Amino acid sequence: LVQPVESGGGSVQAGGSLRLSCSGPGFTSQPCGVKWYRQAAGKEREWVSSIRHDGHTSYTDSVKGRFTISKDNAKDTVYLQMTELKPEDTAMYFCKIFSSRFGICPGFTDFGQGTQVTVSS
């Protein structure tokens, strides 16, 4: 099994931007999509955004209008462009390569190691 790889996190001031990446070899050739989650210290993991295999996107209310999810099929990579970042966006961000049929896209583990996003006021 292959673990998804998240990258692109960092420390920014409020109002700044970051672009996260989630990569997994060959997943775009399967009927699989990507979900982004985040987990702040002391809190439960929460869903942030998804992009389906057909390109349909969805967002949790708190990030609508600020975050944009997209994918590059040639690179087997999904991006989460985050703008107008707020201190409450501070969390470890994880991606999951999912299959509507199987839950997890065949060949992949549940989550990657995550990438830390820290937003200071």
Side-chain angles (χ1 to χ4, degrees):
L1 296 176
V2 176
Q3 193 173 52
V5 178
E6 303 97 337
S7 63
S11 297
V12 297
Q13 291 191 325
S17 300
L18 286 171
R19 189 178 77 161
L20 306 184
S21 300
C22 172
S23 299
F27 84 87
T28 56
S29 63
Q30 301 187 64
C32 297
V34 168
K35 297 182 180 182
W36 280 101
Y37 293 81
R38 66 186 178 187
Q39 186 167 19
K43 296 188 177 181
E44 293 189 353
R45 189 170 297 183
E46 65 169 347
W47 169 76
V48 176
S49 179
S50 297
I51 185 165
R52 296 186 330 203
H53 178 68
D54 63 4
H56 176 82
T57 61
S58 54
Y59 304 90
T60 192
D61 286 346
S62 63
V63 308
K64 283 181 181 177
R66 300 189 297 121
F67 291 10
T68 303
I69 192 169
S70 62
K71 63 175 177 172
D72 185 332
N73 289 337
K75 296 182 178 180
D76 287 322
T77 299
V78 164
Y79 303 101
L80 186 67
Q81 179 69 50
M82 307 186 296
T83 64
E84 300 176 42
L85 283 162
K86 304 176 181 180
E88 51 263 43
D89 294 318
T90 295
M92 184 72 80
Y93 284 70
F94 302 87
C95 70
K96 178 178 183 177
I97 302 176
F98 76 96
S99 161
S100 297
R101 180 177 180 185
F102 299 109
I104 300 173
C105 188
F108 294 92
T109 61
D110 201 354
F111 292 102
Q113 296 291 328
T115 186
Q116 177 68 37
V117 171
T118 302
V119 184
S120 58
S121 58

